[in-house]
Amino acid sequence: MWGEQLRMAWQSLRANTFRSLLTMLGIIIGSSTLVSVLSLGNALQGQVFERFIDLGTRRVAILPGDPDANGARVSSGYGLLSIKDFNALDKMVTTHPDIFRTIVPEVAIKVRARSGTVEVDSLVVGTGADYQKVQSVPLEAGRFFTLEEELDSDRVAVLGSLVTEDLFGKGVENRAKAVGQTIIINGQSIKILGVIKGAGGPFSSDQRILVPSGTARLRIAGNQDLPGRGLKMSSILLGLRTEGVVTKAEALITATLRDARNVPVGAIDDFKINSPTQALGILNGINSAITGFIAVVAGISLVVGGIGIMNIMLVAVTERTREIGVRKALGATDRDVLGQFVIEAATISLIGSFIGIGFAVALVLGIASAAGLGMILSIPAVIISLIFALGIGIGFGYYPAKRAALLLPIEALRYE
Amino acid sequence: MSTDVVAIHHVSKIFDGGDNRVVALDNVSLTIAKGEMVGIMGPSGSGKSTLMTIIGLLDVPTSGTYLLDGIETSGLDRTAQAGVRNQKLGFIFQNFNLLPRLTALQNVALPMVYARVGMGEREARAKAALEAVGLGNRLNNRPNELSGGQKQRVAIARALVNNPAILLADEPTGALDSRTGHEIMALFRQLNREQGITVVVVTHDAEVGKQMDRIVSLRDGQLNMDALHEYYGINTDALGRVVTEVPHVG
Ligand SMILES: Nc1ncnc2c1ncn2[C@@H]1O[C@H](COP(=O)(O)OP(=O)(O)OP(=O)(O)O)[C@@H](O)[C@H]1O
Ligand SMILES: [Mg+2]
C-alpha cells in the first residue's frame, strides 16, 4: 500500500511539475539555508576552537589586580604579583598534581637589545623551562632553555622571529644564523639558544625575548624588586591537566592567593584569573547565537514552505474531489485517502528538502575547497533538515488530507 | 429469502436543505434476487439515482432498513462500508469516472489496490478483465486516448475485477451512441447469463428496459408500476416482468 501511495504521489507531482516546484520553493530555501549555515557555523566554531587550543585551553593565567577597581583597598603595591605569591602557588601545584601540570611566571621588562651596532626595543619575558607547556612557542631553530639553565639563571635567551629579524636581518637563513650569537641587554651578554617560529597577531611571542625568570629578575632588571614582595610579575601561568578542571583550579588558586596575600574576608580579590575557556565560551556563544538566529530564520522559511504545501494540498483536494469520490466508490477507506494525501504532501516536502540540500552541499563544498577547509558538510544538519521537512510535510499535509478523507462518497462523486 | 442480494424495507431518503425539503425516496420496499437483471426506470427526478446510491452504500437512507447480501448495512461503520463497496459492489457511471492520469490497466487495478492485492496478481487480473471486455490491446492507454464505448468497457472491467455480487450501472449507455449502447448492454447480459452476476441498471431507454428480467418503476420517489406504461409504453406483470405487448383488439 505504501509503495502504491508513493507511486500515486509521484504521478500526481509529475502531472503538475511546475506547480510542485513552486510549492517546494519554501522548503528548498529553508533546507539549503539550514544545512549551509549549520555546516559553515560548525566549521567556524571548529576553527575558533583550534586557535584557542593552540594558545592553550588547558591553561589559567593570573594577572595583577586593578588598583582602580571598585572596592580596591588603598595600599602600596596593591595587586602586584610577587615571588611570595608565586611560591605559594608553586606549593599548591605540587600538592595537586591531579589538577595542575606546571607553573611558570612571566616577568616582563621593557628593554633595548643590541647586537653589534643594531639596537631594537623589545620585551624581555622571564619565565620557566616549562613555558612551552603553557604557551604555543614552537621553535624554528635551536632549542629552549632547560630547567638547569633556569635554576642557574644563566645568560641565555630564546628570541621571537621579529626581534631576530630586526637584529640579524630578514629571512629564514638569517634567523637560523642567530642561534649561538650573543646580544647585549642592559649590559649583560646573553647567548641565543633558539628562535621561535613566527605566528603573527598581537598575542604572539614574535616581538619577545624569553629568558629564565632568575636571569630577568636578577641580571636584567637588577634590584628593582619591591620591598618585601620581590619583583612584580606581569603574570603567572598555570598549566592544567584537562579543560574539565578549570573551575576547580580557579577555586584553589583564589583560596591560595587570598591566603598568601592576606586579603581580608569580604574584600575583593586583588588579582585576576583569566582562563581562555571564558573567551572561547564567549566567542562560541556569539557564533552559536548567529548560527542559531539564521537557523531559526531557516526554520521559519521551512514553516512558511509548509504553509505553502498546505495551501496547494487544499487546492488539490478540491480539484480532485471527484477522484476521491471514485476511489471511495471503489473501496478506498478514509485511511487510504488520508494516507494518499499525507504521503503526497510529505513527498513534496522531502523532494524540496533534497533539492535544497543539494544546493547547500554545492555551496558548502565550494566554500570549503576555496578556503581549504576540508570536509565541513554537517551530516547532522542534513539529517535534521530532512527530518524537519518530513515533519512539516506530514504536519501541514494532515489537515487537507483529513478533509479529503472525511468527504462523503456520494458528495465527492456529485461534485462538479 | 437467503437468495436476495438486495432487501430494502420501507426506505425513505429526504434531502433537507432548509426551506426546500426533497423527499427523493418515499417508503420504498424492494428485493433483488441473486442472478437477476433488474432495470430501474422512471421520469427524471423520480429518485432512481438516489436509490442506486443507497444500494451502492454511497449514501445512507434517512429511514428504513437495507440488507445487502444478508448484511444489515446500518450497522456498518465507514471503513466497513468501504470494504463492502470494494468486495461486493461494482459501479458503472454514466460519465465513466475513470481516473484521467492512470492507464486503462491501472484504472482496472485500482479496486485491487484497496483490496491489498499484490502487484503481480493485480496486473494479471486487470489484464484478464480488460481482455474479457475486448480491450486486450488498449492496456496502456489513458482514458483520453479511448472512445466512449472503450471507456465504458474499462469501467466495466474495473467494476468486475474484484468479483462483486452486484453490478450497479446508472445510465451506462447515456453518454454513448445507440450502437455502442447496445454493445454495452449485450456485455451486461452476457455477464449476467454466463457468470450469474446480479445486474441493476438505471435507464431511460425503453429498448434497454425491455431486455431486463424485471423492471422497478419509480415516480416521485415511490414505486409506481403504472408510470412504466405511461412513460415508456412497457407493460409488465404483477411481478414487474416485461410482458410482450398484447395487440389492440380492433
Ligand atoms: N444531494 C441532494 N440534495 C438535494 N436534493 C437532491 C440531492 N440528490 C438528489 N436530490 C433530489 O432528489 C430527487 C431525486 O433525484 P435523483 O438524482 O435520484 O433523480 P433521478 O431519478 O436519478 O433523475 P435523473 O433521471 O434526472 O437522473 C430530485 O428531486 C433531486 O433534485
Ligand atoms: Mg439519475
Side-chain angles (χ1 to χ4, degrees):
Chain A
M1 197 65 207
W2 273 66
E4 201 52 44
Q5 284 175 326
L6 271 176
R7 234 179 57 189
M8 289 180 200
W10 182 242
Q11 265 166 342
S12 109
L13 295 192
R14 284 246 320 259
N16 285 304
T17 315
F18 187 61
R19 191 167 92 177
S20 305
L21 274 174
L22 284 183
T23 310
M24 287 171 195
L25 212 54
I27 302 286
I28 293 176
I29 291 170
S31 277
S32 63
T33 312
L34 200 65
V35 170
S36 45
V37 166
L38 289 185
S39 292
L40 295 176
N42 265 355
L44 189 63
Q45 197 138 337
Q47 288 260 309
V48 169
F49 214 83
E50 263 175 41
R51 252 278 158 49
F52 267 83
I53 285 177
D54 250 25
L55 293 177
T57 40
R58 285 175 297 204
R59 188 192 72 181
V60 170
I62 297 157
L63 303 173
D66 179 4
D68 299 328
N70 209 355
R73 283 162 297 132
V74 183
S75 71
S76 76
Y78 176 89
L80 296 179
L81 299 168
S82 69
I83 281 290
K84 205 178 137 214
D85 302 332
F86 181 82
N87 290 341
L89 290 170
D90 196 24
K91 221 172 103 192
M92 174 195 76
V93 168
T94 20
T95 48
H96 292 284
D98 52 324
I99 295 178
F100 300 101
R101 270 191 312 162
T102 182
I103 176 169
V104 293
E106 279 188 325
V107 180
I109 306 161
K110 277 194 175 137
V111 296
R112 268 183 96 69
R114 184 167 66 82
S115 161
T117 55
V118 189
E119 265 191 43
V120 294
D121 285 322
S122 180
L123 189 71
V124 160
V125 175
T127 185
D130 268 358
Y131 193 66
Q132 284 178 299
K133 291 186 183 166
V134 291
Q135 279 287 40
S136 170
V137 282
L139 295 187
E140 96 179 323
R143 62 174 178 85
F144 213 79
F145 51 82
T146 62
L147 184 61
E148 208 175 9
E149 286 161 335
E150 181 200 337
L151 295 177
D152 291 350
S153 301
D154 281 351
R155 292 180 184 85
V156 290
V158 174
L159 266 61
S161 60
L162 288 179
V163 183
T164 313
E165 288 196 337
D166 287 347
L167 289 170
F168 299 100
K170 291 197 186 301
V172 193
E173 279 172 35
N174 284 329
R175 292 202 298 269
K177 269 192 280 179
V179 176
Q181 311 245 33
T182 303
I183 52 171
I184 312 294
I185 302 172
N186 286 3
Q188 304 277 334
S189 313
I190 293 183
K191 194 181 158 201
I192 300 171
L193 294 180
V195 176
I196 301 165
K197 202 179 278 174
F203 306 113
S204 70
S205 302
D206 293 355
Q207 302 270 23
R208 297 182 179 179
I209 298 171
L210 305 182
V211 300
S213 57
T215 312
R217 238 163 16 93
L218 306 173
R219 303 191 195 282
I220 295 178
N223 51 7
Q224 285 182 14
D225 282 16
L226 294 170
R229 292 211 147 194
L231 178 72
K232 58 178 184 172
M233 295 184 195
S234 45
S235 67
I236 299 171
L237 304 178
L238 289 139
L240 304 181
R241 289 279 165 214
T242 65
E243 281 97 351
V245 297
V246 172
T247 344
K248 250 196 227 168
E250 282 177 0
L252 269 171
I253 293 164
T254 306
T256 307
L257 274 184
R258 284 182 77 96
D259 182 51
R261 300 167 67 85
N262 300 318
V263 179
V265 177
I268 61 159
D269 293 343
D270 58 354
F271 52 88
K272 274 189 301 193
I273 303 177
N274 255 11
S275 50
T277 32
Q278 292 170 347
L280 185 69
I282 291 168
L283 270 179
N284 274 346
I286 293 169
N287 187 14
S288 301
I290 295 171
T291 307
F293 175 74
I294 302 180
V296 165
V297 171
I300 291 171
S301 164
L302 280 174
V303 170
V304 172
I307 293 169
I309 289 179
M310 174 144 97
N311 182 40
I312 218 68
M313 289 311 291
L314 284 171
V315 172
V317 168
T318 308
E319 277 176 353
R320 284 151 67 186
T321 302
R322 251 192 121 76
E323 171 192 327
I324 295 162
V326 172
R327 288 180 184 276
K328 290 197 157 193
L330 298 179
T333 61
D334 294 359
R335 281 187 61 145
D336 290 335
V337 175
L338 181 79
Q340 179 186 340
F341 282 92
V342 166
I343 286 176
E344 190 167 322
T347 307
I348 293 179
S349 190
L350 269 184
I351 291 177
S353 186
F354 273 117
I355 295 175
I357 290 169
F359 284 136
V361 168
L363 180 77
V364 167
L365 294 187
I367 289 178
S369 79
L373 291 178
M375 169 65 190
I376 58 166
L377 182 69
S378 163
I379 300 298
V382 170
I383 294 170
I384 287 172
S385 104
L386 283 176
I387 292 177
F388 214 76
L390 182 66
I392 280 191
I394 293 174
F396 285 95
Y398 188 82
Y399 172 68
K402 192 75 190 169
R403 289 242 305 226
L406 290 180
L407 284 173
L408 295 172
I410 183 61
E411 264 151 33
L413 273 173
R414 203 182 275 136
Y415 184 84
E416 306 275 333
Chain B
M1 294 277 257
S2 59
T3 54
D4 284 341
V5 190
V6 171
I8 286 173
H9 293 292
H10 308 295
V11 157
S12 296
K13 179 71 187 179
I14 297 161
F15 293 104
D16 217 341
D19 348 307
N20 49 338
R21 201 175 107 101
V22 181
V23 181
L25 288 177
D26 187 2
N27 198 22
V28 172
S29 294
L30 145 89
T31 58
I32 297 170
K34 204 177 180 72
E36 259 193 310
M37 184 147 167
V38 177
I40 297 176
M41 301 187 79
S44 188
S46 58
K48 305 181 294 293
S49 294
T50 306
L51 181 59
M52 284 297 256
T53 61
I54 285 175
I55 296 174
L57 289 185
L58 294 172
D59 207 350
V60 288
T62 310
S63 63
T65 60
Y66 168 31
L67 268 75
L68 171 62
D69 213 11
I71 304 164
E72 168 58 60
T73 57
S74 64
L76 301 175
D77 64 13
R78 289 169 63 110
T79 307
Q81 284 174 1
V84 172
R85 283 197 293 271
N86 186 245
Q87 293 297 310
K88 293 194 181 294
L89 301 167
F91 293 95
I92 289 143
F93 305 92
Q94 178 174 359
N95 54 4
F96 323 121
N97 272 336
L98 300 177
L99 298 193
R101 283 199 300 270
L102 304 188
T103 63
L105 197 70
Q106 288 169 332
N107 263 290
V108 174
L110 211 49
M112 291 184 284
V113 169
Y114 295 118
R116 309 297 195 259
V117 173
M119 177 102 99
E121 186 186 342
R122 231 156 52 205
E123 283 212 354
R125 271 167 61 185
K127 199 164 163 237
L130 278 168
E131 276 161 2
V133 296
L135 283 180
N137 57 345
R138 283 284 184 276
L139 302 180
N140 294 315
N141 293 79
R142 287 176 211 285
N144 60 4
E145 298 158 351
L146 300 172
S147 73
Q150 287 171 331
K151 280 188 231 186
Q152 200 59 300
R153 283 168 192 272
V154 173
I156 292 169
R158 183 177 69 180
L160 287 171
V161 82
N162 270 350
N163 301 315
I166 319 174
L167 219 49
L168 299 171
D170 194 343
E171 300 190 46
T173 61
L176 304 175
D177 62 62
S178 65
R179 220 194 97 192
T180 317
H182 273 101
E183 284 170 18
I184 293 295
M185 285 318 296
L187 185 57
F188 280 134
R189 178 47 93 188
Q190 182 194 344
L191 289 166
N192 173 256
R193 290 265 163 80
E194 291 175 6
Q195 297 178 33
I197 297 173
T198 311
V199 180
V200 182
V201 182
V202 169
T203 183
H204 276 298
D205 187 331
E207 288 309 308
V208 171
K210 283 176 189 165
Q211 298 166 29
M212 300 291 144
D213 295 339
R214 184 159 69 95
I215 296 175
V216 174
S217 171
L218 285 174
R219 184 183 192 169
D220 295 334
Q222 292 176 320
L223 290 181
N224 185 329
M225 293 314 278
D226 297 341
L228 210 50
H229 183 79
E230 201 174 308
Y231 284 93
Y232 304 103
I234 299 175
N235 296 312
T236 54
D237 65 11
L239 294 174
R241 289 185 300 225
V242 180
V243 294
T244 326
E245 278 164 85
V246 184
H248 283 285
V249 181

